[in-house]
Amino acid sequence: MARPRTWISALLFFVLATGCGTAPTPGPDAPTTAEAVRTNGAAGLNDTKSGEPTKPEGAAAGKDAAAAPLVFIEDDLDGAMARARAEKKALFVDAWAPWCHTCLSMKNYVLVDPALRPLADRVVFAAIDTDRPSSAAFLERYKMTFWPTFFVIDPAKGDVVAYLPGAASAREMRGFIEDAVRVMDASAPPSDPLYTLSQASAARAAGDHRKALALYDELLAKVDARWPRRDDALAGKLSSLAGSGDVDGCARFGAAHVDEIRGAAAPADFAAVLLSCASRLAKSSTQDQARRKAMARLEALVASPPPESTVDDRADALAILAGVKSELGDAEGARAAHEKRLVLMEKAAAEAKTPEIAATYDYGRAISYVALGRGEEAVRMLEQREREMPKSYDPPARLSSVLAKMGRLDAALAANGRAVALSYGPRRLSYLKQRADLQAKMGDKPGQIATLREEVAGHEALGPGQRNEAALADARRRLGEALGEGSAAPKR
């Protein structure tokens, strides 16, 4: 997601993509094909006060409550596609990454909801870690800008039928999948708005923002506020405007519709995209109105969270609000938002049944601890998590970032080394970048150059589906500067 280096742009990256990533060399604990099946644990729809699951309601409550959670085929997309084709089912793909807190929240609190289990009669469920080499071909064909992104694919043709970036509640996810199946089995004819929404989704998945915009305009012209999926169309158009570079149109459209968006996570996500577009404008009445409208919507969401929102959804809304308040000079308002989100996340982490589920909140907690001047608490939390999850690269990577912010460079470098040793793919390259930055601050020029050479080589080795050309160019530039060769390093 190419955005300017403003704070709010970085925040949007954190909230919607916190994930963002690329491809990997499988780590020592990578599953074999026989082992590559995820059975989600026992959590469900969150209520408005905690991370605890709610009970299903209505006539299907007994059946759904008794059903086992969904089983996902993990990191074997060819096998999942073949199975879906053989069984004449749709293919659902959860494209996620271990470092993405929203991905973990969806995995631990939403996709485990038993209400989704009946969908297995019509859908094969798969999940891919987007940093693994096995995901490269998928990412070359299907474009992602947010992590996680959920796809429903027709396995007969490989066409995208539905596309959902970000988070959703179990109810929203069920409706998303059911509507996709309707389109795929032709029970939604071309005259049905769902058919047009499906075409727009396919255009977004192909990275064709211009085509997507035309289709969203066509769709919005023929539906009114009563259509259940109108929020998806509005959000899709806003993201396509942002992706196309039309930040003025994005700010105007977003300001006009930000109050209309409903859902568990969609309202805050919409406000975040609006703020990102506004941050890229010169000071103007359009920018002021966009910020004012987004701020007001966020304040309302924080005061009265959507009933189906998870703790992660609510924490993200508070993070976006804290960030924009800080950027606009309201230090007390930013601090209050961080304090409130920390209370939410600490409670949810304490109630989590396993360290892996509790780790959903590690990144957000660390960010707020540091913002509140409580860095030592972040260090203790992440050191404990590293002991609990010794095969995970995420705790030492987060720890390294916190220690660096605290000026403890030697300890940060040591933690970074542990993260690099466990990580793979594009995520490993981001940790090499962090290592080179640390070495530069510590005056270790030979070490910095060696690390930058490794980073450049790693970017060059990635397949086209996972290679980030901007990141490669940046790594070459930094290597050239370290070598004293100007703004770019020679290609090898």
Side-chain angles (χ1 to χ4, degrees), residues 100-342:
C100 159
H101 68 89
T102 299
C103 302
L104 298 179
S105 179
M106 290 297 294
K107 174 182 175 180
N108 293 324
Y109 292 100
V110 175
L111 297 176
V112 293
D113 195 302
L116 298 175
R117 181 62 181 82
L119 295 170
D121 293 340
R122 295 177 288 168
V123 181
V124 170
F125 287 84
I128 58 168
D129 175 349
T130 57
D131 279 343
R132 295 200 178 280
S134 56
S135 301
F138 179 89
L139 295 171
E140 186 174 0
R141 178 169 183 179
Y142 306 104
K143 309 306 179 191
M144 293 177 60
T145 53
F146 301 140
W147 269 248
T149 294
F150 303 97
F151 300 82
V152 179
I153 296 172
D154 180 348
K157 302 176 182 178
D159 293 342
V160 170
V161 182
Y163 179 90
L164 174 63
S169 70
R171 180 187 60 79
E172 291 167 334
M173 183 62 74
R174 183 167 179 165
F176 164 77
I177 297 170
E178 288 175 338
D179 284 348
V181 171
R182 281 186 58 203
V183 172
M184 200 182 97
D185 67 13
S187 59
S191 60
D192 191 322
L194 284 176
Y195 184 81
T196 309
L197 179 62
S198 176
Q199 290 181 306
S201 296
R204 286 181 73 189
D208 191 339
H209 300 297
R210 182 173 299 180
K211 182 177 180 180
L213 281 170
L215 287 163
Y216 283 124
D217 283 337
E218 177 187 337
L219 176 59
L220 290 167
K222 62 183 176 184
V223 300
D224 59 24
R226 294 170 295 178
W227 190 55
R229 299 293 299 279
R230 185 168 181 269
D231 289 343
D232 294 339
L234 293 171
K237 178 173 178 177
L238 186 75
S239 291
S240 295
L241 285 166
S244 71
D246 183 3
V247 291
D248 183 79
C250 170
R252 292 177 185 276
F253 180 81
H257 295 286
V258 67
D259 292 332
E260 301 172 35
I261 305 299
R262 300 293 179 267
D269 290 351
F270 193 95
V273 177
L274 173 56
L275 285 167
S276 178
C277 289
S279 75
R280 296 162 66 182
L281 293 172
K283 186 170 179 56
S284 62
S285 59
T286 299
Q287 183 189 64
D288 290 343
Q289 182 184 34
R291 283 178 167 169
R292 186 172 66 254
K293 295 278 295 226
M295 284 272 288
R297 185 70 174 120
L298 288 165
E299 294 277 16
L301 290 169
V302 165
S304 181
E308 293 179 329
S309 60
T310 63
V311 169
D312 186 72
D313 296 334
R314 283 172 267 155
D316 277 354
L318 283 160
I320 303 166
L321 185 62
V324 71
K325 282 182 177 290
S326 178
E327 186 173 290
L328 297 177
D330 183 3
E332 285 304 311
R335 183 175 184 84
H338 275 297
E339 288 173 342
K340 186 171 183 177
R341 77 189 293 261
L342 193 53

Side-chain angles (χ1 to χ4, degrees), residues 445-482:
K445 177 70 74 171
Q448 178 196 9
I449 291 172
T451 299
L452 288 169
R453 289 188 188 280
E454 186 177 359
E455 183 189 350
V456 169
H459 280 293
E460 291 173 340
L462 291 175
Q466 294 171 320
R467 180 182 292 184
N468 184 322
E469 295 295 343
L472 172 58
D474 179 65
R476 286 174 173 160
R477 176 190 60 77
R478 287 181 285 110
L479 176 57
E481 289 175 352

